[in-house]
Amino acid sequence: MSRSVLSTHEGSAFRRSAWGISMQRSTQQHHDTLPLAVPAYLQEALRKGRKAEGWRLKNVADQVPPGHRFLLYFRAFERADGNEWEPLTTSKRDALEDIVKTGKQANAILNALKMRHARLFDETCWKRRVTLAAPLFTGSGNPHPVENGFAFLSPYGVPYLAGSGLKGVFRRAAEELALLCDDTHGWTLPLVWALFGFDANSAYLGAASDSEWVRGYDAFVHEVENSPDRVLEQLMKIWMNPRLQKVLEKEFGPENGPLDQPAFLRALRQYQQIRRAVHFQGLLTFFDAVPHPDCQMAVDITNPHHKSYYQGTGQESPHDAEQPVPIFFLVLPPGTTFDLKALPLAQKDALWPLVKDRWQALLDASLGHIAAWLGLGAKTSVGYGVFTLAQQPAQDKLSGRSEEAPPSQREVLKEVEIQKLEEERRRKQEAEEMEQAQRLAAWNALPEDEKILRPLQEKVEAYVRSSEVLRKNIRPDLNRAMNAALKQASQIKDSNLRQRVAAEMEKMYERVGWADPGEKKEKRQKQEKKRREALEALKK
């Protein structure tokens, strides 16, 4: 991105407009020049769209990914009276409607991300496909002029579910299955810690003693008293760093020796210093999930009727005469499809053999719990983020393999090659369109006499370079061009321009001859007289 120095007026317009350029209609010359600080592809898109009506810019959606239109170039201001600008009020929905089309550029990015992920996965990895059955709202807390953000993958500008967020919801589902559900589907608390890492702020470690989380935790401690857990045994060995040993000695004294499993679990619950001394990332990582290409976005609305009451001002009770306050925000609509993917990190020698044969089945159980009770993204308590699972053969579930075999290297390379060819074709087409637009713009900028003389000059040059045999064939076409040029020039109101055209055409006739070669002398004399008279009339 190149630097540029903007004038004071242009700089203020650049700052006021969330699109990053001044979109106001102006007769001033410098407003027709886009600032160099705007990327080249956006300059071209906005230049094409400047002739569009109002704020609806043509081709912008295809050239600029939705995340960039929502964050970098969002239309957050509108024209007020006079020359003032003010934040959007009644037209927030219209501004968001400009975002909902994904466009060609974003689809190309989604395809590239899909292929990149495909090359990283094999049969040892976990992959499941889900399809939204309700709108998905994610990134709601991100700052934005419409007060409701949305999560877009930086720097690509496409919607996504963050891998960290997916890991968090899978962890929550695993914890609920392990501590709160009668049917755990194989989940235990040490398995949660082994696969997702240890979290010192977990609800069952810091909640009140009468919490259902604590009751589930205490029930697990009781189970360990009767039957020690092998996974927890290995975790305690991995966690036992010098800092943790020092904290344990301070709390329990060195003479008591190492704690057994039940005592260690109770210590985790009782002492915050012990929890803070435990550091473990977990064996799994989750990839960011992007929707399948050709997805679209949508604008949703929530319409709170009792704003003052919900905000707790205490000034009045809710009643039917209040004015609702519509709030618009972006969502991914039902039908959008994601591929959720997870794979093991560097494997701990002593721990991985205890989970390697069951971790995929455990993730399947967590995914089923998320689909039934939790959902994805924000506002899940009111029905957002509900999804359905793709059907899988029973043997695939048992083996932990995904419903769809990962592509072979040859298939991936073929797809990459196809994508390269398509990208090359698209770039070539865009370059041709840009070149054609530049030629058209240059042609429209020419004065009237140049528009007449330039194509005529080309025909004269072609005639002069031709052999005598070919000249007979192309002379009629040249005569028609000369006659058309005379007719066009006669309509020019500026006498100086008309005289210039006549003088240039006179030079051209001197080069190609006033009369057609091969004709009889009498006819040649008539042709020359007629053409000279036409040029003389043009000079008046």
Side-chain angles (χ1 to χ4, degrees):
M1 185 180 296
S2 59
R3 297 181 179 178
S4 63
V5 179
L6 305 179
S7 68
T8 302
H9 182 79
E10 288 173 325
S12 60
F14 186 89
R15 290 188 294 272
R16 287 197 304 267
S17 172
W19 280 93
I21 62 170
S22 173
M23 297 301 295
Q24 55 185 306
R25 297 176 181 270
S26 172
T27 58
Q28 297 183 26
Q29 181 71 23
H30 63 268
H31 279 191
D32 294 331
T33 303
L34 293 171
L36 296 179
V38 178
Y41 73 92
L42 183 65
Q43 290 188 43
E44 182 61 25
L46 295 178
R47 186 180 292 112
K48 291 180 180 178
R50 288 173 72 87
K51 296 181 180 179
E53 181 180 358
W55 291 98
R56 303 290 184 176
L57 302 182
K58 298 178 181 178
N59 301 323
V60 171
D62 280 338
Q63 300 294 330
V64 185
H68 298 342
R69 283 179 272 135
F70 184 68
L71 299 173
L72 297 175
Y73 314 113
F74 184 74
R75 178 168 60 91
F77 294 88
E78 59 188 351
R79 171 76 74 180
D81 294 336
N83 294 322
E84 297 297 323
W85 292 75
E86 63 181 18
L88 291 179
T89 53
T90 58
S91 57
K92 286 183 179 180
R93 180 173 190 135
D94 293 335
L96 289 176
E97 290 288 353
D98 293 336
I99 314 298
V100 297
K101 183 179 178 182
T102 304
K104 295 179 181 178
Q105 187 73 18
N107 281 327
I109 293 172
L110 291 173
N111 267 315
L113 290 172
K114 179 181 177 182
M115 287 188 292
R116 182 186 302 173
H117 287 182
R119 302 192 70 176
L120 297 175
F121 284 84
D122 56 28
E123 66 277 1
T124 65
C125 301
W126 181 86
K127 171 185 171 183
R128 296 294 181 266
R129 181 164 296 173
V130 300
T131 301
L132 295 181
L136 173 69
F137 186 29
T138 179
S140 58
N142 296 341
H144 195 268
V146 295
E147 301 177 4
N148 290 282
F150 195 88
F152 289 97
L153 182 60
S154 179
Y156 305 109
V158 294
Y160 83 118
L161 287 169
S164 58
L166 290 173
K167 186 175 182 179
V169 72
F170 270 84
R171 180 194 184 90
R172 177 59 181 252
E175 289 174 338
E176 290 187 2
L177 287 170
L179 299 180
L180 305 182
C181 298
D182 294 333
D183 185 359
T184 65
H185 292 276
W187 276 107
T188 63
L189 199 53
L191 284 172
V192 175
W193 293 335
L195 295 177
F196 298 106
F198 180 80
D199 183 4
N201 299 315
S202 297
Y204 44 84
L205 295 176
S209 58
D210 60 345
S211 165
E212 61 177 348
W213 284 106
V214 174
R215 291 196 295 270
Y217 185 84
D218 291 340
F220 174 68
V221 174
H222 182 69
E223 291 178 8
V224 171
E225 288 177 338
N226 299 323
S227 178
D229 190 287
R230 292 181 60 198
V231 176
L232 180 57
E233 179 183 356
Q234 294 299 330
L235 283 172
M236 290 175 63
K237 293 178 180 178
I238 295 172
W239 295 348
M240 202 57 64
N241 55 52
R243 180 184 176 189
L244 180 58
Q245 289 177 347
K246 184 177 180 180
V247 173
L248 291 175
E249 289 177 0
K250 178 180 178 181
E251 298 295 340
F252 298 98
E255 67 277 2
N256 291 326
L259 302 180
D260 59 12
Q261 290 187 14
F264 182 75
L265 291 173
R266 293 191 184 97
L268 280 177
R269 165 114 175 85
Q270 185 176 0
Y271 299 102
Q272 187 180 43
Q273 296 89 338
I274 295 178
R275 296 198 297 271
R276 289 181 175 177
V278 175
H279 298 283
F280 186 71
Q281 182 180 4
L283 297 175
L284 297 182
T285 184
F286 284 76
F287 275 61
D288 295 335
V290 296
H292 285 198
D294 297 323
C295 70
Q296 300 298 331
M297 303 190 72
V299 178
D300 209 337
I301 180 175
T302 182
N303 215 9
H305 285 66
H306 311 297
K307 180 179 179 180
S308 298
Y309 175 74
Y310 289 132
Q311 289 180 344
T313 60
Q315 297 178 357
E316 58 182 14
S317 60
H319 54 85
D320 293 338
E322 293 183 75
Q323 293 292 334
V325 182
I327 300 173
F328 302 101
F329 53 93
L330 286 178
V331 296
L332 284 168
T336 306
T337 300
F338 289 89
D339 287 332
L340 309 183
K341 306 181 184 76
L343 73 164
L345 293 169
Q347 301 165 1
K348 309 289 189 300
D349 293 339
L351 188 58
W352 181 248
L354 300 177
V355 299
K356 68 176 183 179
D357 295 329
R358 46 178 171 166
W359 69 276
Q360 295 196 21
L362 291 172
L363 288 186
D364 286 339
S366 294
L367 183 60
H369 188 78
I370 295 169
W373 299 101
L374 300 180
L376 300 173
K379 297 174 71 71
T380 54
S381 60
V382 292
Y384 285 76
V386 177
F387 61 89
T388 58
L389 306 177
Q391 294 295 325
Q392 301 175 73
Q395 62 271 22
D396 284 350
K397 290 186 177 181
L398 292 175
S399 64
R401 295 185 180 181
S402 62
E403 79 282 0
E404 177 181 280
S408 66
Q409 184 177 12
R410 181 176 298 177
E411 291 172 340
V412 171
L413 292 176
K414 182 178 179 181
E415 189 174 357
V416 170
E417 186 63 27
I418 292 174
Q419 180 68 20
K420 285 182 179 179
L421 292 174
E422 175 62 23
E423 182 68 15
E424 184 178 352
R425 184 200 64 78
R426 184 186 64 80
R427 289 180 179 177
K428 184 177 180 181
Q429 181 179 355
E430 289 180 352
E432 292 175 352
E433 291 176 354
M434 183 179 298
E435 184 179 357
Q436 183 178 0
Q438 291 173 347
R439 287 199 301 267
L440 180 60
W443 174 261
N444 291 333
L446 292 175
E448 290 180 280
D449 57 333
E450 284 295 324
K451 291 181 180 179
I452 296 173
L453 293 173
R454 284 198 179 186
L456 189 60
Q457 185 66 42
E458 292 178 0
K459 290 186 177 294
V460 169
E461 293 295 334
Y463 180 83
V464 172
R465 290 194 301 267
S466 301
S467 63
E468 293 185 3
V469 176
L470 290 177
R471 287 182 182 179
K472 276 190 176 182
N473 296 328
I474 62 177
R475 183 70 190 208
D477 182 55
L478 177 61
N479 290 339
R480 285 190 292 270
M482 288 284 197
N483 294 334
L486 285 169
K487 185 176 181 181
Q488 293 174 7
S490 65
Q491 298 175 1
I492 298 176
K493 295 180 180 181
D494 190 329
S495 59
N496 292 328
L497 292 182
R498 288 200 312 273
Q499 293 173 6
R500 181 176 181 277
V501 173
E504 292 296 327
M505 291 187 66
E506 191 172 8
K507 294 178 182 178
M508 294 179 191
Y509 272 123
E510 293 293 343
R511 295 187 65 190
V512 301
W514 287 91
D516 298 348
E519 297 292 341
K520 293 182 179 180
K521 182 178 180 180
E522 183 179 349
K523 186 174 182 180
R524 287 165 57 89
Q525 290 175 345
K526 287 183 179 180
Q527 285 180 338
E528 181 176 353
K529 180 182 179 182
K530 183 177 179 180
R531 290 166 180 169
R532 288 185 182 276
E533 289 175 351
L535 291 180
E536 288 298 324
L538 201 61
K539 294 178 182 179
K540 295 179 180 179

